[in-house]
Amino acid sequence: MNLLDTGSLEVGYQATLPARHRYAIAGFDAALAQQARDATDSAPISAHGSWVSLQDVRLATDVTTVPVKTARARDARWEALFDALLLEYSEISCLVRQRLHAELPAYRSMSSEEMDADLRFEIERTLLSARAGQAAVTDRELAELAEIGDKRAQQGVPIEDMLRAWRIGVQVVVARAREIGARLEVDDASLLDFVESTLAWSEVATVKMAAAHRSAEFELAREAHERRAAFVRNLLVGDAAPADIRVQSGAYGVDPSREYAAIRARAGASSSLHEIERALGFQSAIEPRRGLGALIDDDLAGFVSEPPTTIVSGVVGIGPPRPLERLTESFRLATRALATADGFGLTGVHSVASLGPRVAIAADRDVGQDLAGRYLDPVSVTPSAQEILTSLRVYFECGMHVRRASERLLVHQNTLRYRIARFEELSGVNLRDPVIAFEVWWALEHQLVAERRPHDAEVTGPARAPRQRRPAGRAEAGPDR
């Protein structure tokens, strides 16, 4: 409904408005009449000395529309109440600002001029809508309210404080309405209608402001996360300048004077990077932080002040401690440790030092293929190749100790001795030679990696099912035949 509709207020109502509102309504009516005549949406019209588009006019007339059902709105004292409140809306905004400064610390850093501009808009829109007896909000008002909600988020005002500030504003307006209403002898029923209309429009307005505030908070959090992730990546790949390291590390709660160990982690089949991130302490907000993390090529990468003490699902490669300026050295070794541990199907936290020769086995595929061809291919032609090589691998894992290996294999010791002797016969080697034993072990470990990653390395020797992930272990010295 607009001011030209049958149910709109008569001209006598417009006479009760302050001059500036009478002029605005007259201009809006003229604009709508012109729109009906020439059916254009672009012709500008003058409204109280300023040029506005017909789109602006339509939005403004929605605000000032008064439904027919509010008969009390045509009462002279009801109108006089709103006239008095609208004349004092600047003073009311000052009272609201004073209370906000006194009760909400988040608002104390804002300038009075900035706050007054927003408060005057909020109070005037609330009064005009309450006067019309409607809770609807125009598109233009929604945009203005969203701008205020966005601005408060940018200013660091918590959403709870923003909503409380609006309630304080309503309290001040209602208190002033009661004072003026008593002076004008406005009846209690009319004052109750005023409060209900004010709260109805306020509910719609606060929902829009809160939505805009939450959206802005999410965007701010996303931007902050991206900046922190960029800082972590630059540290790990060596693109961070020393001056930036000192400034940004302090901003993110990281002590620039201590050393950190780089990490690179990958989730397993039954784990997630979120779980690894929590185990490494990346989600903790306690300062100084234990470390920071970011995604690099779908892996979780970052740095920690101390190795994790809790059980970490998935597989994590960790480098040696280094100053922040040299963290790229630690990250390079952490990457090698991750690639090696993942290639061997290991879980938990591993370093280059803890993995030992396996790092070289995973990196130097050519040597592994050559050794596998030399020692494993001659065995692969026999029907019992699978059980011979499996027994040999367990034999090495048990430190070349026959009794322990036979117990793990659930076979007699002599059976295991026969299989070892059969391998020596087919390959033409003697496992009592430590160099030969080491090379055979290297070939078996290469085969393990090749079977897990057939697209990265040629599979040499008899095929077998991939082994379950197992904790890293070192062979015990001394063959026991």
Side-chain angles (χ1 to χ4, degrees):
M1 182 183 296
N2 58 52
L3 291 173
L4 298 180
D5 292 337
T6 306
S8 299
L9 293 181
E10 54 270 13
V11 177
Y13 161 65
Q14 297 183 20
T16 66
L17 290 171
R20 63 191 182 89
H21 296 296
R22 293 202 305 273
Y23 297 153
I25 291 176
F28 299 151
D29 285 346
L32 291 174
Q34 179 66 30
Q35 180 189 26
R37 285 192 296 270
D38 55 21
T40 177
D41 287 336
S42 59
I45 57 98
S46 178
H48 193 43
S50 62
W51 291 87
V52 296
S53 68
L54 290 179
Q55 175 69 13
D56 291 332
V57 171
R58 286 196 297 273
L59 295 176
T61 54
D62 288 341
V63 174
T64 56
T65 298
V66 181
V68 180
K69 67 177 183 178
T70 312
R72 187 176 290 107
R74 293 190 290 268
D75 181 84
R77 283 174 292 188
W78 171 266
E79 301 300 337
L81 171 63
F82 280 98
D83 288 344
L85 289 171
L86 286 169
L87 287 174
E88 294 185 10
Y89 81 101
S90 293
E91 291 77 6
I92 294 174
S93 68
C94 291
L95 293 175
V96 175
R97 170 171 50 80
Q98 291 171 4
R99 281 196 57 183
L100 296 186
H101 281 166
E103 300 179 26
L104 299 177
Y107 281 83
R108 292 172 187 166
S109 60
M110 301 181 196
S111 66
S112 299
E113 296 77 10
E114 181 182 18
M115 287 188 63
D116 286 344
D118 292 339
L119 290 172
R120 283 195 294 268
F121 162 76
E122 296 168 6
I123 293 170
E124 185 177 26
R125 288 295 187 273
T126 301
L127 291 174
L128 289 174
S129 183
R131 182 175 208 160
Q134 62 185 27
V137 185
T138 68
D139 290 341
R140 186 174 68 182
E141 289 172 336
L142 287 175
E144 292 170 327
L145 290 166
E147 183 179 351
I148 293 175
D150 183 275
K151 184 192 300 184
R152 293 294 177 261
Q154 299 283 351
Q155 293 167 332
V157 177
I159 190 170
E160 296 83 2
D161 285 0
M162 183 188 71
L163 297 178
R164 186 181 172 194
W166 186 280
R167 290 195 297 271
I168 290 174
V170 172
Q171 292 171 3
V172 172
V173 170
V174 171
R176 187 60 183 147
R178 292 180 61 187
E179 295 174 3
I180 297 175
R183 187 176 71 243
L184 298 177
E185 298 181 351
V186 177
D187 61 276
D188 291 341
S190 296
L191 285 175
L192 180 59
D193 281 351
F194 167 80
V195 173
E196 290 178 346
S197 296
T198 300
L199 294 178
W201 194 86
S202 296
E203 181 179 0
V204 177
T206 52
V207 168
K208 183 62 179 180
M209 290 173 61
H213 190 286
R214 285 192 294 268
S215 178
E217 279 188 323
F218 177 81
E219 183 63 20
L220 289 171
R222 185 188 64 80
E223 293 174 355
H225 175 78
E226 290 181 352
R227 288 193 297 270
R228 184 171 63 247
F231 169 67
V232 173
R233 295 188 191 102
N234 289 338
L235 275 177
L236 296 178
V237 301
D239 289 342
D244 293 337
I245 293 175
R246 289 190 294 271
V247 173
Q248 296 187 51
S249 60
Y252 296 128
V254 175
D255 184 357
S257 64
R258 68 180 304 172
E259 294 186 338
Y260 293 87
I263 65 96
R264 187 162 186 170
R266 190 169 296 161
S270 60
S271 62
S272 66
L273 289 181
H274 180 75
E275 295 172 345
I276 299 176
E277 187 178 21
R278 184 169 58 249
L280 294 173
F282 288 162
Q283 296 180 348
S284 174
I286 301 176
E287 295 188 2
R289 286 180 176 270
R290 290 176 54 188
L292 295 173
L295 286 180
I296 294 182
D297 297 333
D298 296 328
D299 293 334
L300 176 63
F303 54 90
V304 292
S305 57
E306 297 177 357
T309 56
T310 58
I311 297 176
V312 178
S313 58
V315 56
V316 180
I318 188 169
R322 292 289 186 272
L324 290 177
E325 293 81 358
R326 297 170 51 198
L327 205 56
T328 181
E329 302 173 12
S330 180
F331 183 62
R332 178 176 57 82
L333 295 176
T335 299
R336 292 195 67 182
L338 171 66
T340 302
D342 190 50
F344 280 96
L346 307 178
T347 59
V349 182
H350 302 273
S351 66
V352 168
S354 68
L355 292 168
R358 289 187 177 90
V359 178
I361 295 173
D364 200 335
R365 304 293 176 85
D366 293 335
V367 172
Q369 290 176 8
D370 181 74
L371 293 175
R374 187 190 313 172
Y375 297 115
L376 306 186
D377 283 356
V379 182
S380 63
V381 298
T382 65
S384 58
Q386 179 70 47
E387 63 182 21
I388 290 176
L389 295 180
T390 299
S391 299
L392 193 61
R393 180 172 285 109
V394 173
Y395 175 59
F396 280 118
E397 289 178 352
C398 291
M400 303 179 74
H401 195 286
V402 171
R403 181 179 60 79
R404 288 201 293 268
S406 62
E407 289 175 354
R408 280 185 54 182
L409 290 167
L410 302 178
V411 298
H412 193 275
Q413 295 182 28
N414 289 337
T415 301
L416 177 58
R417 290 189 178 96
Y418 169 78
R419 292 175 181 175
I420 295 173
R422 181 62 175 157
F423 170 80
E424 292 177 329
E425 176 186 353
L426 292 171
S427 59
V429 298
N430 185 353
L431 291 179
R432 293 185 182 275
D433 185 330
V435 174
I436 296 296
F438 177 73
E439 289 180 346
V440 172
W441 172 80
W442 185 303
L444 290 169
E445 293 298 295
H446 164 79
Q447 184 190 58
L448 179 63
V449 176
E451 288 176 354
R452 286 184 51 80
R453 296 182 177 179
H455 58 285
D456 289 338
E458 177 183 348
V459 178
T460 305
R464 66 181 187 84
R467 307 182 67 195
Q468 299 294 321
R469 288 183 180 267
R470 55 187 172 85
R474 287 183 171 275
E476 300 175 34
D480 179 13
R481 300 279 290 274

